[in-house]
Structures are given as structure tokens and as C-alpha cells.
């Protein structure tokens, strides 16, 4: 899934042609389609060539509105890229205190400088979070994601990305696999096309400690410099089936005061049978 601003207007390139621009998450690129006009050399007899471009939606043009789109499954980084977070306790935010964002990134039109991540699939810009703080777990009372019973004027988990919000428990990860399984944070790319990824790699589903080898989730949230695009790539998802809350999951984003949210179609909430894997 991708959360991005609506497509930008037309773009002029090298004073040759007026081209429709496609909003791109990563760096813009311009390419010549060979053979479209025969010789691609610009001469007096052949003064124009056709260029195809992916437009770069800059921070300055972002207005805080979002389009939610399905995208090809193509995570930009391995799910184990970056720093392995010491998240070995159920239902908590990262004890390292998250990650500084080294580039301007706007979330609902507000520039963010720091991001927090939780074991349960949450990424948040909420400055009130403290390292190691409880993140909550019994979310079934909130699904579908609407203003919650405890907060009827707003959505739960304000100023956050749900990608995928699900009741996972990294405490089930065997010690022999603790280096490659769990939650990872990563900063990559080069100016002006940097990105941050938060990845959950084979994190077990709560209530299935004995089945953790198969009942686990793998997905990645990506934040892009310049475009403010948010991507969610889901390789594998399981919703657990015990009786005490947390049997559902959701993908979406919620604004700072919890009064507005954009949820992925068909993912608010969703559950998965034991044999099903999702790639989106």
C-alpha cells in the first residue's frame, strides 16, 4: 500500500515537451524511448525528442492530503537492514527511543524530526512516547479503526502509521534466531532521495508461542525524503486466533489529534486464515 499526495500537474522538461508527471516515491528519472522518433540526436532537422519522466513531488508541494493506492510488492531494503532493536518484551515501544529523521518529512502537513516504532506494528511521530513505554494490545474494541470508545472524538494511536498494526510478541523469538528476527530500523539513500525503513521480520503472533516458526509476520514501512510518500510492503501476515482481544489487524495512517485517518481498502480490519499469505 502507498500513502501519497494526489498526482502533480504537468511538467516541462528542457523546453522541449510538456509531459504528464507521475508521482514517484524515489528519485525522479528522465529517459529517452529509443526508436520513438527514429534518430534520438537533436538536430535542426530533428529538433525534438520524447522524454518520459517520473516527477519529484517535493516537500514544498505537499498539502497534507493523501491518496491510498495498491502498489507492487517491492520493499527497497531487506527486512533485516539496519539496527536490530532490543524489542524482546510484549506490547512495548522501542527502548532505544526510536530514530531521528535526517531529512524534512511531512506527515499530514507537519514536518517531523523523530519516529518511534513498536513491536505491534506501529510507527509513530507522537512526541509523548517514552522509550520502553507500553503500546497496548487489546485492539479488537477499536476495529474497524474509527473514533474509539475511550476517545469518541478521535481515532486511537494519533500521529501514527499502522503498518501492519497487529498483536505480535517478539518474546517468542528463539534465542538462536534473535539476530535475524524482530524489528529493525534503517536510514538509507543519498540526498535528496533518502529514506527510512522500519521492518518487522518474522515476528511471532501473540498466543502462538509453540507455533512461532509459522505464525509470524513480515512487513516494512518506508518513509521517503522529498515526496513524503509512505509505503507499506507486506510479505507475510498472520492474525492470531485466541479469545482475548487482538485478533484483527489494520493498515492506515492517523493524524496528530486523532480526528482524521486514511485506511487501506479491505485492511480495516482484516484477518488471515492459517494458510494465507498477503503480498501488497
Amino acid at each position: 500500500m502507498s500513502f501519497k499526495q494526489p498526482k502533480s500537474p504537468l511538467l516541462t522538461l528542457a523546453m522541449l515537451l510538456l509531459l504528464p508527471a507521475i508521482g514517484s516515491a524515489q528519485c525522479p528519472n528522465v529517459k529517452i524511448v529509443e526508436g520513438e522518433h527514429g534518430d534520438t540526436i537533436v538536430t535542426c532537422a530533428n529538433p525534438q525528442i520524447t522524454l518520459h519522466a517520473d516527477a519529484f513531488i517535493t516537500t514544498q508541494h505537499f498539502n497534507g492530503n493523501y491518496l491510498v493506492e495498491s502498489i507492487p510488492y517491492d520493499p527497497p531494503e531487506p527486512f533485516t537492514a539496519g539496527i536490530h532493536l532490543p524489542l524482546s518484551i510484549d506490547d512495548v515501544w522501542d527502548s532505544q527511543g526510536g530514530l531521528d529523521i535526517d531529512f524534512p518529512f511531512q506527515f499530514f502537513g507537519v514536518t517531523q524530526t523523530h519516529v518511534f516504532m513498536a513491536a505491534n506494528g506501529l510507527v509513530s511521530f507522537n512526541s509523548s512516547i517514552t522509550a520502553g513505554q507500553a503500546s497496548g494490545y487489546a485492539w479488537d474494541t477499536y476495529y474497524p479503526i474509527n473514533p474509539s470508545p475511550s476517545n469518541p472524538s478521535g481515532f486511537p494511536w494519533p500521529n501514527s502509521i499502522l503498518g501492519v498494526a497487529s498483536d505480535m510478541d517478539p518474546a517468542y523469538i528463539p534465542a538462536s534466531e534473535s539476530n535475524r528476527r524482530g524489528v529493525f530500523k534503517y536510514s538509507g539513500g543519498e540526498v535528496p532521495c533518502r529514506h527510512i525503513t522500519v521492518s518487522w521480520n518474522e515476528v511471532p503472533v501473540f498466543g502462538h508461542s509453540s507455533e512461532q516458526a509459522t505464525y509470524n509476520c513480515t512487513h516494512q514501512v518506508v518513509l521517503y525524503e522529498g515526496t513524503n510518500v509512505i509505503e507499506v510492503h507486506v510479505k507475510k501476515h498472520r492474525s492470531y486466533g485466541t479469545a482475548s482481544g487482538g485478533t484483527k489487524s489494520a493498515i492506515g495512517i492517523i493524524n496528530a489529534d486523532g480526528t482524521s485517518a486514511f485506511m487501506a481498502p479491505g485492511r480495516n480490519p482484516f484477518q488471515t486464515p492459517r494458510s494465507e499469505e498477503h503480498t501488497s
Side-chain angles (χ1 to χ4, degrees):
M1 298 296 175
S2 176
F3 299 85
K4 63 185 181 181
Q5 80 166 59
K7 290 182 180 179
S8 60
L10 298 178
L11 173 72
T12 301
L13 290 176
M15 296 184 294
L16 293 175
L17 295 173
L18 198 62
L19 300 178
I22 301 172
S24 175
Q26 302 186 46
C27 284
N29 64 78
V30 178
K31 63 181 179 180
I32 299 172
V33 178
E34 297 290 344
E36 188 161 313
H37 285 283
D39 194 349
T40 56
I41 299 175
V42 177
T43 66
C44 292
N46 183 30
Q48 294 184 335
I49 57 175
T50 300
L51 303 178
H52 292 257
D54 288 334
F56 197 49
I57 303 172
T58 66
T59 300
Q60 290 79 10
H61 293 117
F62 181 66
N63 58 12
N65 292 320
Y66 289 91
L67 291 177
V68 185
E69 298 179 346
S70 293
I71 57 175
Y73 172 75
D74 187 22
E77 301 295 342
F79 291 97
T80 56
I83 298 172
H84 187 201
L85 302 179
L87 278 168
S88 58
I89 302 173
D90 190 24
D91 306 322
V92 294
W93 293 95
D94 168 30
S95 62
Q96 290 185 344
L99 180 67
D100 287 334
I101 304 174
D102 294 329
F103 51 82
F105 182 83
Q106 289 195 1
F107 187 64
F108 283 93
V110 178
T111 300
Q112 306 293 334
T113 60
H114 195 82
V115 64
F116 299 87
M117 53 285 299
N120 285 333
L122 298 173
V123 175
S124 183
F125 306 102
N126 195 337
S127 60
S128 65
I129 292 171
T130 58
Q133 175 183 340
S135 63
Y137 70 96
W139 298 344
D140 275 10
T141 55
Y142 296 148
Y143 289 113
I145 300 298
N146 289 314
S148 68
S150 60
N151 183 22
S153 63
F155 293 81
W157 318 298
N159 221 21
S160 296
I161 302 167
L162 318 182
V164 180
S166 184
D167 197 358
M168 296 177 284
D169 189 352
Y172 295 160
I173 298 174
S176 61
E177 297 184 326
S178 59
N179 288 334
R180 72 171 191 87
R181 295 178 63 179
V183 186
F184 296 80
K185 62 182 180 181
Y186 175 79
S187 296
E190 298 181 357
V191 179
C193 302
R194 292 168 289 183
H195 61 269
I196 283 175
T197 62
V198 182
S199 302
W200 292 260
N201 188 53
E202 297 183 26
V203 180
V205 176
F206 180 79
H208 289 276
S209 58
S210 63
E211 303 170 278
Q212 52 77 29
T214 55
Y215 261 70
N216 55 69
C217 302
T218 300
H219 41 85
Q220 183 176 99
V221 172
V222 192
L223 312 179
Y224 287 102
E225 178 180 19
T227 62
N228 305 292
V229 167
I230 301 165
E231 290 182 350
V232 180
H233 297 274
V234 184
K235 178 180 180 180
K236 178 182 179 181
H237 182 74
R238 293 286 189 269
S239 296
Y240 85 93
T242 62
S244 56
T247 61
K248 300 182 180 72
S249 307
I251 299 175
I253 56 177
I254 302 172
N255 72 350
D257 60 7
T259 58
S260 179
F262 292 85
M263 306 303 298
R267 295 292 185 266
N268 181 32
F270 70 104
Q271 294 176 278
T272 48
R274 294 190 176 205
S275 62
E276 185 177 1
E277 292 189 9
H278 285 288
T279 300
S280 59

